[in-house]
Amino acid sequence: MWLYKGKQITQIEDLPNYEYLEGFVYIITCKIDGKIYIGKKTLFFSKKTKISAREKKETKTRKKSKIVVKESDWLSYWGSCIELHEDIKKYGENNFEREILELCCSKKYLTYCEVKHQIQNDVLNRNTYNSNIFGKFFIRDMQNCK
């Protein structure tokens, strides 16, 4: 379950204007030690698939492939951080809270908002699961600057 502005989100229809959204920026917080992880997640993904001979005949198309858009695994998503996943296994999902910080209507805005929230929360200088920002700024680069 996700939280957004204090409301439980259990399906895509619970999100305001979900049909116009690309994804969201989220924060996962460990209730035991307060450690956080900030990331982004897309709500949909598109995949190129072959058009079957039967479908070609029915639709009278000469195309060989089509783009299919499907809902992503966002409801069950717990981030991409290995250390976070290890702690979830160790402490259990009920000791973590997942909250949507910001809804985004484009991929570029989604990336911008993720970086914005990571910097606002100073994830490289705090005890967080985030080890880098944007794949360019890493904790190891910050250690000698204190």
Side-chain angles (χ1 to χ4, degrees), residues 12 40 123 143:
I12 199 159
K40 66 180 178 179
V123 296
Q143 292 170 341

Side-chain angles (χ1 to χ4, degrees), residues 13-143:
E13 290 81 7
D14 294 339
L15 295 170
N17 300 317
Y18 70 90
E19 56 275 338
Y20 302 107
L21 298 175
E22 180 67 36
F24 57 86
V25 176
Y26 63 87
I27 185 169
I28 298 176
T29 307
C30 178
K31 295 176 186 177
I32 294 170
D33 60 10
K35 202 170 180 180
I36 64 168
Y37 179 76
I38 295 176
K40 66 180 178 179
K41 183 64 181 162
T42 56
L43 293 169
F44 302 96
F45 70 92
S46 53
K47 185 168 104 173
K48 193 173 186 178
T49 59
K50 271 189 165 183
I51 297 176
S52 68
R54 181 179 176 189
E55 189 178 354
K56 279 184 184 184
K57 191 175 183 180
E58 288 173 0
T59 60
K60 296 180 179 151
T61 185
R62 292 173 30 191
K63 293 181 181 179
K64 294 181 181 185
S65 62
K66 64 181 178 179
I67 304 292
V68 177
V69 177
K70 291 188 176 186
E71 191 174 336
S72 73
D73 63 344
W74 69 275
L75 267 174
S76 60
Y77 190 69
W78 283 93
S80 59
C81 176
I82 294 168
E83 184 186 355
L84 172 62
H85 284 262
E86 289 170 353
D87 279 1
I88 291 169
K89 283 182 187 173
K90 187 165 133 185
Y91 301 128
E93 287 181 6
N94 58 330
N95 284 308
F96 291 84
E97 183 177 86
R98 297 185 301 169
E99 182 181 356
I100 296 172
L101 297 174
E102 193 163 348
L103 300 172
C104 302
C105 59
S106 72
K107 284 186 178 185
K108 283 189 178 186
Y109 187 63
L110 180 60
T111 300
Y112 166 78
C113 288
E114 178 191 28
V115 172
K116 176 184 79 171
H117 284 283
Q118 289 172 336
I119 290 171
Q120 285 175 341
N121 285 278
D122 200 17
V123 296
L124 296 183
N125 288 316
R126 292 178 52 200
N127 185 23
T128 69
Y129 293 103
N130 292 88
S131 61
N132 72 79
I133 294 177
F134 206 51
K136 292 182 181 242
F137 308 102
F138 293 84
I139 288 176
R140 67 178 178 263
D141 301 330
M142 308 299 276
Q143 292 170 341

